[in-house]
Amino acid sequence: MSRLDAAACRAVDSTGQFAEALDLGVHLEDALWRVDSANIAPVDAHGGLIVAGMGGSSVGGRLAAAVLGPELRRPLALAMGYQVPAWIGRETLVLCSSYSGATEETLATYDAAKRAGAPRLVATTGGPLAERARADGVPVVPLPAGFQPRAAVGYSLVTALEAAALCGAAPSVRDDVAAAAALARELAGEWGPDAAEDSEAKRLARALVGSIPVITGEGLTASVAYRWKTQINENAELPAFASKLPEHDHNEIVGWAGAERRLGAVFLHDPESDPQAARRMQVTAEIAADG
């Protein structure tokens, strides 16, 4: 395979997303400032938080739920469609996230939350969603324009994390966001286009060529696996799938032997995961390699 350097990446990066991906650390810090600029009053939401969104705008809520899982004091659920759960009401905060502000499903969930009397928060660049929110006096977190929605993941993640803290669903993790921003800057050099040709990211990319990637995670990394899958789908325009351990081992793994095309198995391990989960991931990876 040809080199995977910056020039080669620019040649296929028709939407300019490499620069945005490498700036994730900047996005995380900027997102905190943008949430603060919205002057959002804390909400005592005993019913927890609903994050409503689609595609790239929903992934922040999915990642936030994974990050906050062990620390959640109240429910955090996703609404990915035209409706919010029937049980929401005045004690449930609904975060409507739509980068364009014109996503029809998210507009529908905003209206449904309004009818239910639920407090709302909006994250968007503008559009009809911002217009409705401002007409209703609902706080709007202003997202920066000019991105592909999926490249604004740092903003959707931080907004969801901050919303969870503002409604009492979870403690604030601002210190963790700052640490993550610093790490993201470091990894941009270690894993980006300017890294050595034998870097871990480039070796993995080459290994997946010609396969159907199946990204498998567990616990915290399950939502990350889903993010990998959707990025391969949208950016490379290729089929890819995400799976979650331990459920993966109770059904999906049985079907691997019958695959007509080579599957590219990627396992995302969290060093701080449960030791039993780590052993299961190792064994599953060995089975996949033997297949």
Side-chain angles (χ1 to χ4, degrees), residues 23-41 95 99 121-126 134 138-147 152-160 162-163 166 174 177:
D23 277 345
L24 176 60
V26 176
H27 297 176
L28 293 173
E29 293 177 336
D30 184 45
L32 289 173
W33 176 85
R34 289 174 181 274
V35 172
D36 289 342
S37 74
N39 296 316
I40 307 164
L95 166 60
Y99 185 79
L121 172 63
V122 163
T124 185
T125 59
R134 289 179 178 127
V138 170
V140 176
V141 177
L143 303 182
F147 289 5
V153 60
Y155 292 94
S156 62
L157 168 59
V158 170
T159 303
E162 289 288 285
L166 286 164
R174 284 197 161 212
V177 171

Side-chain angles (χ1 to χ4, degrees), residues 22-91:
L22 296 174
D23 277 345
L24 176 60
V26 176
H27 297 176
L28 293 173
E29 293 177 336
D30 184 45
L32 289 173
W33 176 85
R34 289 174 181 274
V35 172
D36 289 342
S37 74
N39 296 316
I40 307 164
V43 179
D44 190 13
H46 294 285
L49 172 67
I50 301 291
V51 181
M54 302 299 298
S57 295
S58 74
V59 74
R62 185 184 292 269
L63 293 171
V67 169
L68 298 174
E71 306 296 328
L72 284 173
R73 302 162 179 162
R74 296 168 184 170
L76 194 169
L78 302 179
M80 299 174 65
Y82 292 92
Q83 298 177 339
V84 289
W87 46 261
I88 76 162
R90 298 185 181 278
E91 294 189 338

Side-chain angles (χ1 to χ4, degrees), residues 248-284:
H248 169 96
D249 287 349
H250 289 264
N251 40 59
E252 182 174 320
I253 195 171
V254 181
W256 284 23
E260 295 184 2
R261 283 186 56 185
R262 181 171 70 90
L263 300 179
V266 178
F267 293 86
L268 303 181
H269 171 57
D270 175 9
E272 297 183 5
S273 66
D274 181 86
Q276 185 172 348
R279 288 194 296 271
R280 177 179 286 275
M281 181 168 286
Q282 179 63 38
V283 171
T284 306

Side-chain angles (χ1 to χ4, degrees), residues 45-287:
H46 294 285
L49 172 67
I50 301 291
V51 181
M54 302 299 298
S57 295
S58 74
V59 74
R62 185 184 292 269
L63 293 171
V67 169
L68 298 174
E71 306 296 328
L72 284 173
R73 302 162 179 162
R74 296 168 184 170
L76 194 169
L78 302 179
M80 299 174 65
Y82 292 92
Q83 298 177 339
V84 289
W87 46 261
I88 76 162
R90 298 185 181 278
E91 294 189 338
T92 308
L93 177 63
V94 180
L95 166 60
C96 294
S97 178
S98 169
Y99 185 79
S100 68
T103 309
E104 65 176 26
E105 298 94 333
T106 309
L107 291 169
T109 56
Y110 177 91
D111 293 340
K114 180 179 179 179
R115 290 193 297 271
R120 283 146 286 144
L121 172 63
V122 163
T124 185
T125 59
L129 183 59
E131 293 172 2
R132 294 183 194 187
R134 289 179 178 127
D136 294 337
V138 170
V140 176
V141 177
L143 303 182
F147 289 5
Q148 290 293 317
R150 56 191 178 274
V153 60
Y155 292 94
S156 62
L157 168 59
V158 170
T159 303
L161 293 172
E162 289 288 285
L166 286 164
C167 75
S172 173
V173 291
R174 284 197 161 212
D175 289 344
D176 297 286
V177 171
L183 178 60
R185 290 192 186 92
E186 178 183 333
L187 294 179
E190 185 178 335
W191 292 347
D194 291 328
E197 286 299 305
D198 62 349
S199 68
E200 184 174 3
K202 294 182 181 182
R203 285 190 287 107
L204 177 58
R206 290 188 171 94
L208 291 176
V209 171
S211 73
I212 297 178
V214 180
I215 319 299
T216 302
E218 183 278 327
L220 178 63
T221 64
S223 293
V224 180
Y226 179 80
R227 167 68 172 176
W228 277 42
K229 164 236 181 325
T230 58
Q231 289 296 278
I232 294 171
N233 292 154
E234 260 196 302
N235 292 327
E237 299 182 355
L238 292 171
F241 300 91
S243 194
K244 181 179 179 180
L245 285 169
E247 179 65 15
H248 169 96
D249 287 349
H250 289 264
N251 40 59
E252 182 174 320
I253 195 171
V254 181
W256 284 23
E260 295 184 2
R261 283 186 56 185
R262 181 171 70 90
L263 300 179
V266 178
F267 293 86
L268 303 181
H269 171 57
D270 175 9
E272 297 183 5
S273 66
D274 181 86
Q276 185 172 348
R279 288 194 296 271
R280 177 179 286 275
M281 181 168 286
Q282 179 63 38
V283 171
T284 306
E286 292 171 357
I287 293 172

